[in-house]
């Protein structure tokens, strides 16, 4: 990615509804050049998709929590695939330290969280232990990835 591509990706992350003309003006290229760069970056996977940023509470997913998961090696890959298949699982990261994974979940409330953990997490043979941390408030939550080299 050159500096123009980086500027395009940063702009699109922050304002995905920017028109082609607005995008071209912001990055200092023609509309056709901006469109071609966006198409290329989408085709190569540098831009993975287009999404609306929703209010979690408005769509029934107001409870955010983080679950530390300890897994046995046997069945780990299958357990990860099973967890990733659920929309409630926003993120699943293999981590260093005392635990195997950290999972970000969004559910309606604590009852839905408890049901999800019992039905879809603790029932997996590889899952040995979980520890759940409930977010009281998101001080900062952003889908924007820092783009290196923007100055």
């Amino acid at each position: 990615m050159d500096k123009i591509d980086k500027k395009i990706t940063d702009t699109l992350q922050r304002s995905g509804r920017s028109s082609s003309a607005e995008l071209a003006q912001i990055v200092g290229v023609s509309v056709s050049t901006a469109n071609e760069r966006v198409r290329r970056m989408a085709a190569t996977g540098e831009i993975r998709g287009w999404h609306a940023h929703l209010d979690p509470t408005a769509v029934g997913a107001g409870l955010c929590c983080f679950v530390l998961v300890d897994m046995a090696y046997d069945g780990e890959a299958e357990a990860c695939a099973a967890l990733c298949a659920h929309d409630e699982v926003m993120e699943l990261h293999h981590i260093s330290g005392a635990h195997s994974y950290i999972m970000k979940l969004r559910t309606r409330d604590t009852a839905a969280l408890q049901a999800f953990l019992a039905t879809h997490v603790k029932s997996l043979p590889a899952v040995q232990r979980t520890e759940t941390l409930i977010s009281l408030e998101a001080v900062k939550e952003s889908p924007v990835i820092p783009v290196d080299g923007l100055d």
Side-chain angles (χ1 to χ4, degrees):
M1 292 177 90
D2 65 12
K3 193 167 185 160
I4 292 172
D5 286 348
K6 290 177 179 183
K7 204 168 184 182
I8 287 171
T9 57
D10 187 61
T11 301
L12 288 175
Q13 283 189 103
R14 297 173 191 284
S15 181
R17 293 190 65 170
S18 296
S19 70
S20 296
E22 291 169 331
L23 187 58
Q25 182 179 16
I26 290 167
V27 301
V29 297
S30 70
V31 174
S32 61
T33 298
N35 282 334
E36 179 53 38
R37 284 175 176 259
V38 170
R39 274 193 290 275
R40 179 183 42 77
M41 287 187 287
T44 60
E46 292 164 312
I47 296 175
R48 293 184 180 178
W50 306 96
H51 310 281
H53 191 86
L54 305 178
D55 175 352
T57 302
V59 296
L63 181 72
C64 178
C65 68
F66 300 88
V67 181
L68 295 163
V69 183
D70 296 337
M71 284 197 213
Y73 182 75
D74 188 33
E76 181 179 356
E78 294 83 0
C80 287
L83 292 172
C84 290
H86 296 284
D87 290 340
E88 293 89 345
V89 177
M90 305 298 297
E91 299 178 22
L92 181 63
H93 299 269
H94 194 194
I95 59 173
S96 63
H99 303 282
S100 305
Y101 290 86
I102 187 166
M103 177 171 54
K104 180 181 178 181
L105 290 176
R106 281 206 172 270
T107 62
R108 177 175 300 284
D109 53 26
T110 56
L113 169 62
Q114 183 176 359
F116 184 87
L117 291 172
T119 305
H120 302 294
V121 180
K122 294 179 180 183
S123 63
L124 295 169
V127 173
Q128 298 175 322
R129 181 179 171 285
T130 65
E131 180 181 342
T132 303
L133 306 165
I134 294 176
S135 173
L136 300 176
E137 174 188 18
V139 177
K140 179 180 180 183
E141 187 174 37
S142 172
V144 176
I145 298 172
V147 180
D148 189 32
L150 283 179
D151 300 319

